[in-house]
Amino acid sequence: MKKFLMAALLFAAASLCSFAQDSSDFRVASVFSDHMVFQRDTLAPVWGWAEPGAKVTVTPSWDNKKYTATTDAQGRWEVYVQTPQAGGPYSVKIVSKAGRIVLEDVLSGEVWLCSGQSNMELPVIGASSQPVEGGVEAILSAGSFMDRIRVLNIKADKKNEPQQDIDNHWELPDGPVTARTSAVAYFFARQLTESLGVPVGIICNPWGGCLIEPWMTREYIDAGVKGKIPEKAYQDILDRRDDPSMPPIQMESMYNSRMYPIKGFAIKGFLWYQGCGNMYNYTFYDRLQQQMVRCWRDMWGDTEDRLPFYFVSIAPFNYSDPSDPTRALFVENQLNSLDLIPNSGAAVTETLGEGTCIHPARKQEVARQLCLLALERTYSFTTGLGCGFPYPESVTFPSCSTVEEGEIRQSGFAVKIARSSADDGTITIVFANASSGLGGFSDQLKNEGAPVHGFEVSGPDKVFHPVKAKALYNKVTVDCSGIADPVALRYGFRNCSDADLKCVMGAPVPSFRTDSW
């Protein structure tokens, strides 16, 4: 009998909320729903619609304060509520003369907006012939996280004009919901809630195969590339039109349908995993990414760049030719955006790719890098593991080389190029951000160095040859004795290679080069 009464009460409450939400006179934006997460300890906007001139009162249960607004001429209302420290569940009452809405099971915690294309979209359950490592275990254990992880999966279609609302609501991540949620986003949320001990909400907003241009307005695209790239390339961006059956390629279409309706919703930061669709724009993608972030931060009123932006480099994949350097050139350009975007960081996937599958299975490792960036840089949470990727700090060629000495800047980091006084037939690379050491090598190899792969050396003829290399602590020594005048070094600088260098804690070294050829 008790179960029947409880079910009846829940049905009645749901019916009341549904009636209010469907009313054209009085409703709250869909991003505010049962099971939602408010960004903790901040002034968070809550908005919706009622008839023009109507008074609307919002009362959250955590402080029972009344926040009141009057709708404008278009019927829109908005209030800012002071959210509490992490906790819940709470309720939020929204009242007008036209009705009453009650949001139940509301949490206060950390909220992240996760967007991009198919590698962000790939769900925990995986796809046909594309598994996700740890996916089954995550689905089976989803019940133990339902009290502290919440998911909003946005599925709005492409639009030519800005939309006022979406047709999606927050969900409890039970097994079925977890199975269809972005693996990168879910694993990020799971690690973040375990590390911080607070609820985490993830707004999942990717679309497989999309380009970057649909996620911002023309104003920002123009500011980034107009007059700075070939006119033909710029005109191509303007001329693209979405095909209803294809991924988004038209500028502004995702901004209109998926970003504009939620702009300003209180969040902690952005996660972005996109690039394959724009890979052949490797000379100016960094400027597009910079402008997209500027667009988003402006939408959130973030003029001081407080909202972090953490992105993922695209992983090795054969494409049409494994030896072609296009992907590496694109990754180089992606990482260049670290110089352009304040408060940004990158997760590197150089050792996580699969030559024959564009969607690598090791999404937990991607999420772990993103989570470490968030913990160390955004939350000042000392993990003892560090964050970010190892990168070359100096490259020293043998004395026989005619390489020009000095400093170069590649992939968002500066590299000092020098020649040693010895002609020992080796190139020595010293890596920064590798205090834990490079490679997961065994005790037997610690004293002599662990073999690592993916290095190539060229003479002035610009023909690169694979060479042997060894990692020891934070250094790699490369055997270039077979090349008369070694002047250029590359690592993993192909669409797909056997590059396997990473720090002991797991973060891969990105593809890099010392030449500008």
Side-chain angles (χ1 to χ4, degrees), residues 104-121:
E104 300 285 5
D105 188 33
V106 171
L107 301 179
S108 182
E110 295 299 311
V111 183
W112 286 79
L113 175 56
C114 311
S115 194
Q117 58 182 111
S118 56
N119 268 298
M120 180 64 85
E121 188 175 41

Side-chain angles (χ1 to χ4, degrees), residues 119 122 132 183-184 187 273 359-367:
N119 268 298
L122 186 70
V132 169
V184 170
F187 288 136
Y273 193 169
H359 303 126
R362 295 154 69 181
K363 292 293 184 272
Q364 289 187 86
E365 296 178 53
V366 174

